[in-house]
Amino acid sequence: MTASERDKMAAGEWYSCLVDELEALRMTARVAVHQHNTMAPIERGNMASALRVLFGAVADDVFIEAPFHCSYGINIHLGARVYLNAGCTILDSGRVAIGAGTMLGPNVQIYCAEHHRDAVLRGQGLEVAKPVTICADVWIGGGAIILGGVTIGDGAIVGAGSVVTKDVAAGAVVAGNPARPLRRAST
């Protein structure tokens, strides 16, 4: 039996993002994101109901400012007291897990997809999804970019505007492009 492109995506294998099944999932996400981004704050509360239902897992006290964008939503898992500031984008072709007490500044971007390096295959929509894990009590500064395959340990700090291409140790403070250790966070 041949695996579907969605199954390949979930397994971290090369898949085509241009199939109808994945487009339908992205359309569902667009509708939920639109509801979240256009509702009056008093009606939306912490998060629009369509967005809450879309996510793989979400604690009751997660707060997501508008605007927000995600590609699928189904691969996003948010722990207790997670806060996403305005303009956050999570392109969740892979699993994105954000631990309890973590805060993302404005315009933080998380990218799970890595497109094929061969131009012909890239043109055919071939990509691979790499997970992102952001552990508990992490602070990601505004405008930071987190690439697929990265794990950020408990209590780490990522400086504003950083591009995180490699794992960040628990308690570390990193900044720059690419992000590099500055010092250990005080406990």
Side-chain angles (χ1 to χ4, degrees):
M1 180 175 183
T2 304
S4 72
E5 298 306 300
R6 180 179 180 179
D7 292 338
K8 291 178 195 175
M9 181 176 78
E13 300 171 2
W14 289 100
Y15 67 95
S16 173
C17 65
L18 303 178
V19 298
D20 291 342
E21 178 185 24
L22 294 179
E23 177 54 32
L25 290 172
R26 289 190 298 269
M27 181 55 72
T28 299
R30 286 183 201 111
V31 170
V33 164
H34 178 75
Q35 181 195 62
H36 178 80
N37 291 338
T38 58
M39 287 181 81
I42 195 79
E43 295 171 18
R44 180 178 63 237
N46 289 7
M47 168 186 339
S49 59
L51 200 57
R52 181 173 295 281
V53 170
L54 181 69
F55 288 163
V58 59
D60 290 338
D61 56 356
V62 168
F63 197 103
I64 301 178
E65 299 282 4
F68 169 78
H69 180 75
C70 64
S71 49
Y72 294 96
I74 59 176
N75 295 316
I76 297 173
H77 302 263
L78 304 175
R81 302 176 328 281
V82 166
Y83 176 77
L84 277 59
N85 209 327
C88 285
T89 296
I90 302 177
L91 301 184
D92 63 307
S93 53
R95 179 183 169 92
V96 175
I98 301 177
T102 291
M103 298 183 297
L104 276 60
N107 300 310
V108 168
Q109 301 167 59
I110 299 172
Y111 304 145
C112 292
E114 182 177 305
H115 302 284
H116 207 286
R117 292 179 188 202
D118 179 278
V120 172
L121 295 175
R122 188 172 54 249
Q124 294 170 1
L126 279 185
E127 59 186 37
V128 64
K130 296 185 176 183
V132 170
T133 301
I134 302 172
C135 295
D137 301 312
V138 173
W139 176 21
I140 312 271
I145 298 172
I146 314 299
L147 298 184
V150 166
T151 295
I152 300 174
D154 290 335
I157 297 172
V158 175
S162 297
V163 178
V164 181
T165 61
K166 296 181 180 175
D167 290 352
V168 176
V173 177
V174 300
N177 181 4
R180 292 177 292 284
L182 297 179
R183 64 174 175 76
R184 299 290 288 182
S186 58
T187 54

